Amino acid sequence: MAAEMIGLAPSTLVFMVLGLTLMAFVWGRFRYDLVALTALLASVMLGLVPADSAFAGFGHPAVITVAAVLVLSRGFERSGVVDIISNQVLKVGDRLILQLLVLVGTVVVLSGIMNNVGALALLLPVAMRLAREHDTSPSILLMPLAFGSLLGGLTTLIGTPPNIIISTYRGNITGENFGMFSFSPVGIAVAGAGLAFIVLIGWRLTPKRSGQSSTDEMFDTANYLVELNVTKDSKANGLTLPQLRDELEEAIPVLAVVRDDNRRAGYSFHGILQEGDILLLEAGPDELKLLEDKVGLSAIAEPEEAPDENDATTDKTAEDEADSTDARQPVNTEGLQLIEAVVRNDSMMNNRSVRQLRLNQQFGLHLVAVARDGSRLKQRLRDIRFKTGDVLLLQGSENEISDSLSTLGCLPLASRALNLGQPRKLAISIGIFALAIVAMLLDLLPAAVAMSSAAVVSLLIGVLPLRDGYQAIDGPVIVLLAAMLPVGEALETSGGADIVANTLLTLGAEWPIFISLIGLFVLTMLLSNVVNNAAAALLMAPIAASLAQGFDVSIDPFLMVVAVSASCAFLTPIGHQSNTLVLGPGGYSFGDYWKLGLPLSIVVLIVALPAILWVWPL
């Protein structure tokens, strides 16, 4: 009705909505789940999606399956399945090619049985530790690791959301979904070829950041630490640290308070500042001026060089003055529990500031510095709104910092002792997952029911605490899927998919079908590099089905092309969450990704299409 009132065909309106949606995705000003929800509501207002079906996507089997897989992935992490594997990875030695083979090979295997972002997040600290222990730039390891997680997701139904979406779409069209291992023949061939290319050739195309670690360069803390003296006339005299922060209206973290040569970490100092106290903190020139102007704290001068014994001007008076000079050696920062962490895509910190999060009050963490896109941010800490991939330098209690980071959704990058989990829970976790797979293979339960049952059992028996189960569900991805599913259906019901397919059919009328498959592959791959891969699969599946119908051939190879190409987001850091997650720790820029990503995409295209046509003939 709305379409008739506006005077435009439904297909035209669909293209307008999708065009604006894709522009908003690329712009990145608003998060993709909000963009998708806006597109859904606009489609309802325009009469493209029935109002009573607007939110049916939240109960769609694909959405339920993705949520269940995310919970199971977190259960694997908590039970120690992956940590045992990671502990073996650390023994690989100092040969770079062997490190790459083991790291990327491991993430490929893990990404087939759990969420690929989760697999990457678990191996990212291992890669950072390898880089530091063997004096290797992490930029050489992290991009191959991220791309390996994408390749591994191709191998099974649950490896990546596009596979689940394509499987469910096939079920709606033909009445039979793709099975758990329907993707394996093609996925394994593509993942194997991609792994070989990365290990033998591809890593040489990644940018080489100088130094042992790019994060070491970003956070060379010794260059920024200063000591400030509390004098009798300082306004800071008589204040607590929280009161000092209120006076400054700035969250400048005090790393330590030194009193009578005894050092107390800033997070554990709850007393009142006194004359003679030394504050060790991290500040630049602007912050130093603020500290001096507002609370009367000034930097302590460096000790003067001792005079030459033979200098005729040296006398007892000068020695006495030197002894009385209020200057001391810089305070040793050892034991201050500084840790580096990266903001995950599912972090509660995204698009929020320090003050909104109340990092110190709620989580006992002091923010020392933030790096983004490989360089340290110079703006005021209180003004920074965190983004996925930001690398943070934090200080906190050694006993509590791990739990705080987990709650916030941050991934520690510093060396850490691996938690091997509990053997009983480890065995139970594997057993539950195996039973779910068997139920799917024997067609006893559909994927959504089998995976959900496994997730619920894991929660009931304590493999994963209920709170962690809810935190594991990536809300933005769930909303994106649920909102875009009806919009994707509108593309089909309005005739928009047929229009695109007929255009491709006309252009390729004189060409073999194989050429049209290449065009479909490239179009989907390019789309997945600027929007979420799940959204790319949702939009391209109806077009693939219309193409197959126009050629009067099997739908399966066309859907498989979409499934593979939607997960080949190797060209940009925004195409997939795995790419974004390594952006900060690897010190990469936006333009670094295509250098390895473009040749890898070509390798995938060359291997995937013949494999698809061999396994799923026309």
Side-chain angles (χ1 to χ4, degrees):
M1 181 67 69
E4 295 175 359
M5 293 176 61
I6 296 174
L8 296 174
S11 58
T12 303
L13 291 175
V14 166
F15 288 137
M16 292 174 61
V17 170
L18 289 178
L20 292 173
T21 301
L22 292 178
M23 290 172 60
F25 278 142
V26 175
W27 184 27
R29 175 64 178 82
F30 302 102
R31 210 168 65 180
Y32 54 76
D33 52 334
L34 182 59
V35 172
L37 198 56
T38 302
L40 171 62
L41 295 176
S43 299
V44 173
M45 300 296 181
L46 293 171
L48 303 172
V49 174
D52 56 358
S53 303
F55 301 106
F58 286 92
H60 195 278
V63 176
I64 302 302
T65 305
V66 170
V69 170
L70 291 172
V71 174
L72 287 172
S73 295
R74 187 64 59 87
F76 282 139
E77 177 183 349
R78 287 295 297 262
S79 66
V81 172
V82 181
D83 280 338
I84 288 178
I85 298 173
S86 301
N87 196 31
Q88 300 304 312
V89 172
L90 290 171
K91 301 176 182 179
V92 70
D94 57 0
R95 293 185 60 186
L96 181 58
I97 290 183
L98 190 57
Q99 291 176 9
L100 284 164
L101 178 62
V102 174
L103 270 176
V104 181
T106 301
V107 82
V108 166
V109 173
L110 290 178
S111 296
I113 60 173
M114 61 185 295
N115 175 260
N116 48 14
V117 177
L120 172 68
L122 289 165
L123 286 173
L124 185 54
V126 179
M128 294 295 294
R129 183 170 169 183
L130 271 177
R132 292 178 179 180
E133 288 183 358
H134 299 290
D135 197 20
T136 304
S137 172
S139 63
I140 298 177
L141 299 177
L142 297 189
M143 190 181 293
L145 189 67
F147 289 173
S149 72
L150 303 189
L151 292 170
L154 299 172
T155 58
T156 65
L157 170 68
I158 63 173
T160 186
N163 288 1
I164 299 172
I165 292 166
I166 293 300
S167 172
T168 306
Y169 185 83
R170 182 182 188 258
N172 293 337
I173 298 296
T174 67
E176 184 179 355
N177 292 13
F178 283 126
M180 176 67 181
F181 298 108
S182 297
F183 299 87
S184 299
V186 174
I188 291 174
V190 172
L195 173 62
F197 173 78
I198 289 173
V199 172
L200 297 177
I201 301 172
W203 66 270
R204 305 173 195 274
L205 305 175
T206 59
K208 312 298 188 299
R209 302 298 182 220
S210 60
Q212 182 184 31
S213 168
S214 55
T215 48
D216 286 344
E217 295 173 357
M218 286 185 246
F219 300 139
D220 187 2
T221 312
N223 291 337
Y224 298 88
L225 287 174
V226 294
E227 296 173 50
L228 301 180
N229 186 29
V230 179
T231 65
K232 180 179 179 180
D233 297 327
S234 298
K235 190 175 181 180
N237 188 10
L239 298 180
T240 63
L241 291 184
Q243 290 171 337
L244 179 65
R245 282 190 292 271
D246 291 340
E247 287 288 335
L248 294 172
E249 298 180 354
E250 170 66 82
I252 299 177
V254 177
L255 301 180
V257 178
V258 181
R259 178 177 295 170
D260 300 327
D261 293 327
N262 295 318
R263 185 184 65 223
R264 294 276 301 278
Y267 61 80
S268 62
F269 182 85
H270 304 295
I272 296 174
L273 296 176
Q274 300 176 4
E275 179 185 357
D277 285 349
I278 304 296
L279 304 186
L280 177 67
L281 50 82
E282 226 245 10
D286 293 340
E287 288 82 3
L288 285 175
K289 188 175 186 305
L290 179 70
L291 287 160
E292 186 169 3
D293 292 345
K294 286 201 169 186
V295 291
L297 293 174
S298 56
I300 299 175
E302 288 293 327
E304 297 179 3
E305 183 177 348
D308 193 327
E309 292 180 355
N310 298 322
D311 192 336
T313 61
T314 303
D315 57 18
K316 183 68 170 64
T317 303
E319 292 178 5
D320 291 342
E321 290 177 354
D323 289 340
S324 63
T325 300
D326 188 10
R328 60 185 73 186
Q329 294 293 332
V331 176
N332 181 11
T333 61
E334 184 179 358
L336 290 181
Q337 291 85 37
L338 289 170
I339 189 169
E340 299 158 12
V342 63
V343 178
R344 293 182 54 159
N345 60 289
D346 55 353
S347 171
M348 64 184 294
M349 301 181 72
N350 279 309
N351 204 36
R352 300 175 73 182
S353 66
V354 174
R355 288 187 294 181
Q356 290 174 317
L357 292 165
R358 303 185 69 194
L359 277 184
N360 185 38
Q361 296 91 333
Q362 295 290 337
F363 302 98
L365 295 175
H366 290 266
L367 179 66
V368 178
V370 181
R372 181 176 296 161
D373 299 337
S375 60
R376 181 190 176 110
L377 297 182
K378 300 299 184 182
Q379 68 193 93
R380 282 188 165 188
L381 295 177
R382 71 176 183 180
D383 295 332
I384 295 174
R385 287 185 175 271
F386 302 110
K387 294 183 178 180
T388 300
D390 282 354
V391 181
L392 316 179
L393 186 62
L394 299 162
Q395 182 199 25
S397 168
E398 188 173 6
N399 297 327
E400 300 175 359
I401 197 167
S402 178
D403 289 340
S404 296
L405 291 177
S406 176
T407 302
L408 287 167
C410 288
L411 181 67
L413 295 179
S415 301
R416 62 168 183 161
L418 295 174
N419 175 20
L420 298 183
Q422 301 179 24
R424 184 181 66 85
K425 289 186 178 180
L426 173 60
I428 291 175
S429 180
I430 294 175
I432 293 171
F433 181 73
L435 288 175
I437 297 301
V438 170
M440 292 167 58
L441 290 176
L442 298 178
D443 290 330
L444 299 177
L445 294 172
V449 177
M451 290 292 123
S452 298
S453 300
V456 170
V457 172
S458 297
L459 294 171
L460 287 174
I461 65 177
V463 170
L464 184 70
L466 185 59
R467 183 186 66 177
D468 287 0
Y470 278 110
Q471 289 178 347
I473 298 175
D474 190 347
V477 170
I478 298 301
V479 172
L480 169 73
L481 289 174
M484 290 303 294
L485 277 165
V487 178
E489 291 175 3
L491 177 64
E492 187 172 7
T493 57
S494 67
D498 288 336
I499 292 175
V500 175
N502 289 333
T503 302
L504 294 175
L505 285 169
T506 302
L507 293 174
E510 304 299 325
W511 302 337
I513 298 178
F514 184 78
I515 301 300
S516 295
L517 286 173
I518 293 177
L520 180 65
F521 190 104
V522 172
L523 182 60
T524 307
M525 183 178 66
L526 292 176
L527 184 62
S528 72
N529 275 282
V530 294
V531 303
N532 183 278
N533 61 349
L538 285 167
L539 294 176
M540 295 305 296
I543 295 173
S546 296
L547 264 177
Q549 184 178 4
F551 281 119
D552 193 23
V553 294
S554 171
I555 193 177
D556 290 340
F558 287 84
L559 291 181
M560 276 292 170
V561 163
V562 172
V564 173
S565 55
S567 294
C568 292
F570 303 127
L571 303 180
T572 68
I574 62 173
H576 195 276
Q577 297 158 357
S578 291
N579 296 354
T580 308
L581 199 58
V582 301
L583 179 65
Y588 303 121
S589 64
F590 193 98
D592 287 335
Y593 283 76
W594 71 268
K595 298 172 185 177
L596 171 59
L598 181 58
L600 180 59
S601 299
I602 295 172
V603 169
V604 170
L605 174 62
I606 292 172
V607 174
L609 283 178
I612 289 172
L613 292 176
W614 181 63
V615 178
W616 305 96
L618 295 170

